[in-house]
Amino acid sequence: MIIQRVVLNSRPGKNGVPVAENFQLEQSTIADTIQAGQVRVRTLYLSVDPYMRCRMNEDTGSDYLLPWQLSEVADGGGIGVVEESKHDDLARGDFVTSFNWPWQTVAILDGSLLQKLVPQLVNGRLSYFLGAAGITGLTALLGIKEKGHVTVGAKQTMVVSGAAGACGSLAGQIGRLEGCSRVVGIAGTDEKCSILVKEMGFDAAINYKKGNVAEQLRELCPGGVDVYFDNVGGDISDTVISQMNQNSHIILCGQISQYNKDVPYPPPLPPDIEKIRKERNITRERFLVLNYMDKQEASVLQLCQWIQEGKLKVRETVVEGLANIG
């Protein structure tokens, strides 16, 4: 059977910015028959995520991320429908997902490595299982629960950087649902800030490209910051940390401003900011959602419930066609 697939064509270099030419769309073939335990699936959705920048390097800098290999098919979170099955638990027409879904139109996969999906849990929006009800939503929910120390009634203020992104927009809403009394987002355009306040229920949002972020933070968080959901690192995070309270908590989700630089993860803070962090006993611990997979099922059900109840608003960017994935 002839299929299309996307392979890693070249590496951008540890300090380089990825370009479309780093990938290549090509024709390939898969077997016409499947073996016992296998399924043939047609790809419906693939998730393109910030962590994949690390997989473009020969050394990902992480012991849990394997590098993509040159001239080999890329992979990541994906959803598809079973077209043929020789696995006892999966049948034609079932919707399935995997963290290691190949970037190709049709694939033959080991059925035991796939998870069956129930579309009704997300009101039929299958793609949500790669976002709000998938690893993105899990990262936001488990990050807040495990590292945020949010307490109902404690009148905590949460700040979210990269707040208009897939994870940040969920984190702000979940922070509120878990008990924060004030949620402030930081994003890069007026439009994004408006969406955060009008659609996502944030109390306020700061356009970091306009005005003085430190001054705006002081105005919008007069009692200081108790919980910081950090998606970006760099100067913005330094500014937020300088206004955090004693015994407050940083949820170290991502450091996207640093991903095109050859620095350790998590990147060290500047000496003056690290001094503040230590003096105020601010926690800043590496957070990896894969370490909490024992809580995955219950957490996904909670996310789905919030989606069904309309308590969790979801925005997606969906691009059609494998040729447009790079």
Side-chain angles (χ1 to χ4, degrees):
M1 178 185 292
I2 297 174
I3 62 163
Q4 283 189 317
R5 67 177 194 168
V6 173
V7 302
L8 184 67
N9 189 46
S10 60
R11 301 190 190 277
K14 280 198 169 186
N15 295 298
V17 176
V19 293
E21 288 73 29
N22 293 138
F23 297 94
Q24 182 172 314
L25 179 68
E26 63 179 27
Q27 279 197 342
S28 185
T29 58
I30 59 171
D32 290 325
T33 58
I34 60 175
Q35 306 300 313
Q38 292 183 329
V39 294
R40 188 178 78 245
V41 292
R42 178 167 50 86
T43 301
L44 299 177
Y45 295 100
L46 297 169
S47 184
V48 180
D49 305 291
Y51 79 87
M52 291 175 168
R53 172 62 185 87
C54 304
R55 299 193 67 189
M56 296 179 76
N57 297 334
E58 202 162 1
D59 176 7
T60 66
S62 171
D63 52 5
Y64 67 91
L65 285 180
L66 293 174
W68 286 330
Q69 298 301 315
L70 289 173
S71 302
E72 295 292 331
V73 66
D75 70 304
I79 290 172
V81 61
V82 176
E83 293 190 327
E84 184 184 356
S85 174
K86 288 189 178 179
H87 188 279
D88 291 342
D89 298 330
L90 297 172
R92 179 181 171 87
D94 283 346
F95 296 107
V96 290
T97 186
S98 167
F99 288 135
N100 303 110
W101 197 284
W103 286 9
Q104 56 192 57
T105 50
V106 180
I108 295 173
L109 302 175
D110 181 343
S112 65
L113 301 179
L114 299 173
Q115 180 182 353
K116 189 152 61 169
L117 299 174
V118 182
Q120 293 86 344
L121 288 175
V122 287
N123 300 327
R125 298 292 296 270
L126 270 175
S127 57
Y128 282 13
F129 284 115
L130 291 180
I135 198 74
T136 309
L138 284 172
T139 300
L141 177 57
L142 290 170
I144 288 166
K145 278 186 167 293
E146 301 297 328
K147 300 296 184 183
H149 302 275
V150 174
T151 305
V152 175
K155 295 186 177 178
Q156 290 162 296
T157 294
M158 172 186 277
V159 171
V160 182
S161 58
C167 193
S169 62
L170 297 172
Q173 296 178 78
I174 291 169
R176 169 86 75 211
L177 290 165
E178 287 294 304
C180 286
S181 62
R182 186 163 182 77
V183 179
V184 176
I186 302 174
T189 69
D190 288 342
E191 181 189 9
K192 289 177 180 178
C193 289
S194 176
I195 289 168
L196 290 174
V197 175
K198 293 179 180 177
E199 292 186 25
M200 307 291 185
F202 284 61
D203 292 285
I206 295 168
N207 180 349
Y208 70 86
K209 295 180 180 177
K210 283 186 174 181
N212 185 301
V213 174
E215 286 179 4
Q216 293 177 77
L217 264 180
R218 275 190 291 272
E219 181 182 332
L220 295 172
C221 307
V225 179
D226 302 296
V227 184
Y228 173 39
F229 199 98
D230 185 6
N231 282 306
V232 301
D235 294 340
I236 287 175
S237 290
D238 297 345
T239 301
V240 176
I241 294 168
S242 68
Q243 296 190 33
M244 293 186 74
N245 293 326
Q246 194 75 25
N247 301 318
S248 54
H249 305 283
I250 298 168
I251 301 165
L252 195 60
C253 177
Q255 302 281 278
I256 199 164
S257 70
Q258 309 296 304
Y259 285 171
N260 291 324
K261 301 175 184 177
D262 185 11
V263 294
Y265 187 87
L269 296 170
D272 56 330
I273 302 300
E274 178 63 15
K275 184 169 182 284
I276 290 171
R277 189 196 68 77
K278 286 182 176 177
E279 287 175 350
R280 298 182 191 170
N281 192 35
I282 302 169
T283 63
R284 183 181 185 254
E285 300 163 348
R286 184 171 180 167
F287 170 71
L288 180 60
V289 72
L290 297 178
N291 289 340
Y292 300 94
M293 285 296 98
D294 58 317
K295 300 181 180 180
Q296 177 187 4
E297 187 175 351
S299 298
V300 167
L301 289 175
Q302 174 66 84
L303 292 163
C304 290
Q305 181 182 333
W306 282 335
I307 290 168
Q308 288 175 337
E309 293 173 348
K311 292 179 178 177
L312 203 56
K313 304 291 193 301
V314 183
R315 273 200 167 220
E316 295 180 308
T317 300
V318 180
V319 178
E320 291 193 21
L322 198 60
N324 299 313
I325 198 168

